[in-house]
Amino acid sequence: MSNGSSAQGAGVLLAILRDGHARTRGELARLTGLSRSTVSQRLDGLIGQRWVLPRESAVSSGGRPATVFAFNDGARVVLTADLGATRARLAVLDLGMNVLAERAEELPVAYGPEPTLERVVTALGELLAAAGRDAAQVCGVGIGLPGPVEHGSGRPVNPPIMPGWDGFAVPEWLRARLGAPVLVDNDVNIMALGEHWAARPAVDHLLFIKMGTGIGCGIISGGRLHRGAQGAAGDVGHIRVPASEAQCRCGNTGCLEAVAGGGSMAAALREAGIEAHGSRDVVALMRAGDLHATRLVRQAGREVGAVMASIVNFFNPSLIVVGGDVAEAGEQVLAGVRETIYSRSLPLATQHLGIRVSALGERAGIVGAAVLVAEHVLAPAAIDRAVAG
Ligand SMILES: [Zn+2]
């Protein structure tokens, strides 16, 4: 590409077409301020690499059908794995975020990084074959981990429930076996990315609260994921709840997670003589009509809402999405969250605030992992390099 670039390169044309609308050369020239011949030249580069598909428009102007150009979101695929403490969801998606093949399986991260990731590599290979795709079509790999991840390196940092993973070079290890760029982030961040994508048209300020065994918050600020200086932003699970002395696994007392996490609810049920081992059991009991479990879920919603009320005043989001296993309780948990947020946040901050459960449910993580990869490989500068190379 002669002038190299960035401001109005091929990547910018692709970024425009990613909204799903096909456009003519003339429309693209108008939108970018480029000449039609430059637009044609850049489209040729994008078509040559199958990023863009030309087709005849159904509507003809002046009798002659115009050629329109669309983002070819099915030409490449993303491999994803959303690893939880004991279960993983793995999937192959295209760049339109369509799930082509997926599976959930028991895969405790406590096995350690190599045994766990070997299983991930095998499963992703099987899913790729099941989707009828091959390795040449894989443009990237997106991984979510249930612990803090240093953003720059993609390595877990002192993850409390992942023995042996501290500092493990997850991206390099997987790249050597899968042959594509690997992006790693913590599970709550990828879920926030997934919900942000699902909430189109754009919601610029969104908070995703994961309520499961642990409690965490993914932050979309100004349309982008906010990770903080080290990637630790949003760790609301260890904010202190006033008047609680509950012992938390982090060593402190009175943490939100220790009063409203799935583990603490299951423990409270066991004390009452009811068999329960985690958040999924608590929700199953609630659905079966157990009043004790229902009370605990509602109270957990209120505790989370009380912490979120302060965060709403501070951050002023327009949408709060509640996800994770406990969100499967639906209205029971949402009622508690809403009650405390609306009663304790400032009216101006809640005037147009939406609070709902995850639109993607169990798929929030895999969709978000694919969004993470798409943002990386489809960034205009990356596309300019790919087309120039
Ligand atoms: Zn704690």
Side-chain angles (χ1 to χ4, degrees), residues 1 20 28 88 134 191 226 244 251 258 272 316 324 336 343 353 385:
M1 206 127 298
L28 288 168
D134 60 54
M191 288 172 168
H226 173 82
S244 167
N316 190 198
S343 66
L353 175 66
R385 278 194 302 276

PDB file of all heavy atoms in Angstrom, residues 1 20 28 88 134 191 226 244 251 258 272 316 324 336 343 353 385:
ATOM      1  N   MET A   1       0.852  -1.199   0.000  1.00  0.00           N
ATOM      2  CA  MET A   1       0.000   0.000   0.000  1.00  0.00           C
ATOM      3  C   MET A   1       0.878   1.235   0.000  1.00  0.00           C
ATOM      4  O   MET A   1       1.736   1.375   0.861  1.00  0.00           O
ATOM      5  CB  MET A   1      -0.860  -0.012   1.260  1.00  0.00           C
ATOM      6  CG  MET A   1      -2.112   0.752   1.063  1.00  0.00           C
ATOM      7  SD  MET A   1      -3.554  -0.240   1.489  1.00  0.00           S
ATOM      8  CE  MET A   1      -3.474  -1.579   0.342  1.00  0.00           C
ATOM      9  N   GLY A  20     -22.103  -5.001   9.347  1.00  0.00           N
ATOM     10  CA  GLY A  20     -23.023  -5.943   8.709  1.00  0.00           C
ATOM     11  C   GLY A  20     -23.729  -5.406   7.478  1.00  0.00           C
ATOM     12  O   GLY A  20     -24.392  -6.154   6.772  1.00  0.00           O
ATOM     13  N   LEU A  28     -18.476   3.742   0.082  1.00  0.00           N
ATOM     14  CA  LEU A  28     -17.232   3.659   0.856  1.00  0.00           C
ATOM     15  C   LEU A  28     -16.336   4.874   0.591  1.00  0.00           C
ATOM     16  O   LEU A  28     -15.675   5.377   1.496  1.00  0.00           O
ATOM     17  CB  LEU A  28     -16.496   2.348   0.534  1.00  0.00           C
ATOM     18  CG  LEU A  28     -17.177   1.099   1.117  1.00  0.00           C
ATOM     19  CD1 LEU A  28     -16.583  -0.167   0.517  1.00  0.00           C
ATOM     20  CD2 LEU A  28     -17.052   1.064   2.646  1.00  0.00           C
ATOM     21  N   ALA A  88     -15.338 -26.593  31.927  1.00  0.00           N
ATOM     22  CA  ALA A  88     -14.908 -25.751  30.814  1.00  0.00           C
ATOM     23  C   ALA A  88     -15.972 -25.787  29.731  1.00  0.00           C
ATOM     24  O   ALA A  88     -16.636 -26.804  29.528  1.00  0.00           O
ATOM     25  CB  ALA A  88     -13.595 -26.265  30.249  1.00  0.00           C
ATOM     26  N   ASP A 134     -10.713 -26.221   9.018  1.00  0.00           N
ATOM     27  CA  ASP A 134      -9.359 -26.724   9.244  1.00  0.00           C
ATOM     28  C   ASP A 134      -8.463 -25.639   9.849  1.00  0.00           C
ATOM     29  O   ASP A 134      -8.860 -24.470   9.939  1.00  0.00           O
ATOM     30  CB  ASP A 134      -8.753 -27.295   7.961  1.00  0.00           C
ATOM     31  CG  ASP A 134      -8.672 -26.251   6.876  1.00  0.00           C
ATOM     32  OD1 ASP A 134      -8.085 -25.174   7.139  1.00  0.00           O
ATOM     33  OD2 ASP A 134      -9.207 -26.496   5.771  1.00  0.00           O
ATOM     34  N   MET A 191     -16.633 -12.408  29.695  1.00  0.00           N
ATOM     35  CA  MET A 191     -18.105 -12.399  29.752  1.00  0.00           C
ATOM     36  C   MET A 191     -18.636 -10.988  29.510  1.00  0.00           C
ATOM     37  O   MET A 191     -19.640 -10.808  28.812  1.00  0.00           O
ATOM     38  CB  MET A 191     -18.591 -12.903  31.110  1.00  0.00           C
ATOM     39  CG  MET A 191     -18.396 -14.394  31.288  1.00  0.00           C
ATOM     40  SD  MET A 191     -18.781 -14.858  32.987  1.00  0.00           S
ATOM     41  CE  MET A 191     -18.818 -16.622  32.815  1.00  0.00           C
ATOM     42  N   HIS A 226     -12.329  -2.117  30.486  1.00  0.00           N
ATOM     43  CA  HIS A 226     -11.410  -1.419  31.389  1.00  0.00           C
ATOM     44  C   HIS A 226     -10.765  -2.459  32.303  1.00  0.00           C
ATOM     45  O   HIS A 226     -11.442  -3.077  33.119  1.00  0.00           O
ATOM     46  CB  HIS A 226     -12.171  -0.383  32.217  1.00  0.00           C
ATOM     47  CG  HIS A 226     -11.328   0.249  33.278  1.00  0.00           C
ATOM     48  ND1 HIS A 226     -10.468   1.298  33.018  1.00  0.00           N
ATOM     49  CD2 HIS A 226     -11.168  -0.056  34.590  1.00  0.00           C
ATOM     50  CE1 HIS A 226      -9.831   1.621  34.134  1.00  0.00           C
ATOM     51  NE2 HIS A 226     -10.240   0.822  35.098  1.00  0.00           N
ATOM     52  N   SER A 244     -20.379  -7.684  58.674  1.00  0.00           N
ATOM     53  CA  SER A 244     -20.196  -9.129  58.486  1.00  0.00           C
ATOM     54  C   SER A 244     -18.805  -9.524  58.952  1.00  0.00           C
ATOM     55  O   SER A 244     -17.836  -8.806  58.732  1.00  0.00           O
ATOM     56  CB  SER A 244     -20.350  -9.505  57.019  1.00  0.00           C
ATOM     57  OG  SER A 244     -19.874 -10.825  56.827  1.00  0.00           O
ATOM     58  N   GLY A 251      -8.488 -14.772  53.189  1.00  0.00           N
ATOM     59  CA  GLY A 251      -7.829 -14.527  54.466  1.00  0.00           C
ATOM     60  C   GLY A 251      -8.469 -13.401  55.249  1.00  0.00           C
ATOM     61  O   GLY A 251      -8.302 -13.317  56.466  1.00  0.00           O
ATOM     62  N   ALA A 258     -17.712 -13.835  50.642  1.00  0.00           N
ATOM     63  CA  ALA A 258     -17.908 -14.691  51.815  1.00  0.00           C
ATOM     64  C   ALA A 258     -19.348 -14.636  52.319  1.00  0.00           C
ATOM     65  O   ALA A 258     -19.784 -15.525  53.047  1.00  0.00           O
ATOM     66  CB  ALA A 258     -16.946 -14.291  52.929  1.00  0.00           C
ATOM     67  N   ALA A 272     -27.879 -26.178  57.709  1.00  0.00           N
ATOM     68  CA  ALA A 272     -29.293 -26.441  57.979  1.00  0.00           C
ATOM     69  C   ALA A 272     -29.666 -27.883  57.643  1.00  0.00           C
ATOM     70  O   ALA A 272     -30.847 -28.232  57.605  1.00  0.00           O
ATOM     71  CB  ALA A 272     -30.157 -25.459  57.188  1.00  0.00           C
ATOM     72  N   ASN A 316     -21.606   5.301  37.067  1.00  0.00           N
ATOM     73  CA  ASN A 316     -22.748   5.707  36.242  1.00  0.00           C
ATOM     74  C   ASN A 316     -22.906   4.872  34.958  1.00  0.00           C
ATOM     75  O   ASN A 316     -22.891   5.390  33.847  1.00  0.00           O
ATOM     76  CB  ASN A 316     -22.626   7.204  35.888  1.00  0.00           C
ATOM     77  CG  ASN A 316     -23.877   7.778  35.247  1.00  0.00           C
ATOM     78  OD1 ASN A 316     -23.827   8.826  34.631  1.00  0.00           O
ATOM     79  ND2 ASN A 316     -25.005   7.110  35.358  1.00  0.00           N
ATOM     80  N   GLY A 324     -23.332 -15.638  35.425  1.00  0.00           N
ATOM     81  CA  GLY A 324     -22.775 -16.670  36.302  1.00  0.00           C
ATOM     82  C   GLY A 324     -23.876 -17.631  36.744  1.00  0.00           C
ATOM     83  O   GLY A 324     -25.058 -17.408  36.487  1.00  0.00           O
ATOM     84  N   GLY A 336     -33.463  -8.866  44.255  1.00  0.00           N
ATOM     85  CA  GLY A 336     -32.626  -8.379  45.340  1.00  0.00           C
ATOM     86  C   GLY A 336     -31.624  -7.343  44.866  1.00  0.00           C
ATOM     87  O   GLY A 336     -31.400  -6.317  45.518  1.00  0.00           O
ATOM     88  N   SER A 343     -32.648   1.686  45.607  1.00  0.00           N
ATOM     89  CA  SER A 343     -32.916   2.438  46.833  1.00  0.00           C
ATOM     90  C   SER A 343     -31.669   3.162  47.334  1.00  0.00           C
ATOM     91  O   SER A 343     -31.784   4.141  48.052  1.00  0.00           O
ATOM     92  CB  SER A 343     -33.491   1.518  47.916  1.00  0.00           C
ATOM     93  OG  SER A 343     -32.526   0.572  48.295  1.00  0.00           O
ATOM     94  N   LEU A 353     -30.978   3.508  34.077  1.00  0.00           N
ATOM     95  CA  LEU A 353     -30.162   2.317  34.297  1.00  0.00           C
ATOM     96  C   LEU A 353     -30.968   1.041  34.052  1.00  0.00           C
ATOM     97  O   LEU A 353     -32.029   0.858  34.641  1.00  0.00           O
ATOM     98  CB  LEU A 353     -29.625   2.323  35.735  1.00  0.00           C
ATOM     99  CG  LEU A 353     -28.846   1.077  36.178  1.00  0.00           C
ATOM    100  CD1 LEU A 353     -27.548   0.943  35.387  1.00  0.00           C
ATOM    101  CD2 LEU A 353     -28.553   1.139  37.677  1.00  0.00           C
ATOM    102  N   ARG A 385      -1.616  -4.483   7.955  1.00  0.00           N
ATOM    103  CA  ARG A 385      -0.393  -5.308   7.874  1.00  0.00           C
ATOM    104  C   ARG A 385      -0.662  -6.601   7.114  1.00  0.00           C
ATOM    105  O   ARG A 385       0.125  -7.020   6.271  1.00  0.00           O
ATOM    106  CB  ARG A 385       0.111  -5.648   9.287  1.00  0.00           C
ATOM    107  CG  ARG A 385       0.937  -4.561   9.933  1.00  0.00           C
ATOM    108  CD  ARG A 385       1.688  -5.083  11.156  1.00  0.00           C
ATOM    109  NE  ARG A 385       0.809  -5.646  12.183  1.00  0.00           N
ATOM    110  CZ  ARG A 385       0.188  -4.914  13.105  1.00  0.00           C
ATOM    111  NH1 ARG A 385       0.358  -3.597  13.141  1.00  0.00           N
ATOM    112  NH2 ARG A 385      -0.600  -5.486  14.000  1.00  0.00           N
TER     113      ARG A 385
END
